[in-house]
Amino acid sequence: MKQSKKTTRFGSNSVGMMDYEGPISPTPLPCKMLILMMPVSKSSWTDKKPIDATGFSPDVKLNIPGDQWVEYIIKDLKRKN
């Protein structure tokens, strides 16, 4: 979606699972907002162009609690229209 001029990506950097393949079933952790997923193998192309150091970056970084994202995005999109 990064190539589309019709989209704006909000949030924080992705977790970087693109360098790895086949995550197994999610494993719940004591913190209910986190889930552990372990990959089965590393993708072959990552030796030359890995992205897991930073993950995918959003167009607009949100440094607010996750439960406030939707409200912020709605207000931001209304301001731009």
Side-chain angles (χ1 to χ4, degrees):
M1 97 179 113
K2 183 177 180 177
Q3 294 86 4
S4 174
K5 294 177 184 179
K6 297 178 182 180
T7 62
T8 302
R9 297 169 303 147
F10 292 86
S12 59
N13 284 22
S14 67
V15 296
M17 283 294 294
M18 292 302 296
D19 287 355
Y20 297 89
E21 298 175 354
I24 61 170
S25 299
T27 303
L29 297 173
C31 176
K32 299 294 181 198
M33 295 188 68
L34 300 175
I35 297 171
L36 173 65
M37 295 183 73
M38 296 186 299
V40 174
S41 65
K42 182 178 170 199
S43 301
S44 60
W45 55 270
T46 61
D47 292 332
K48 295 179 183 172
K49 295 191 176 195
I51 61 167
D52 278 358
T54 59
F56 293 112
S57 297
D59 300 313
V60 178
K61 286 197 178 197
L62 298 179
N63 295 317
I64 57 176
D67 61 351
Q68 297 175 16
W69 284 15
V70 173
E71 184 179 335
Y72 175 88
I73 293 167
I74 290 169
K75 286 179 183 177
D76 189 64
L77 292 173
K78 285 181 179 179
R79 273 192 300 255
K80 292 178 180 178
N81 286 332

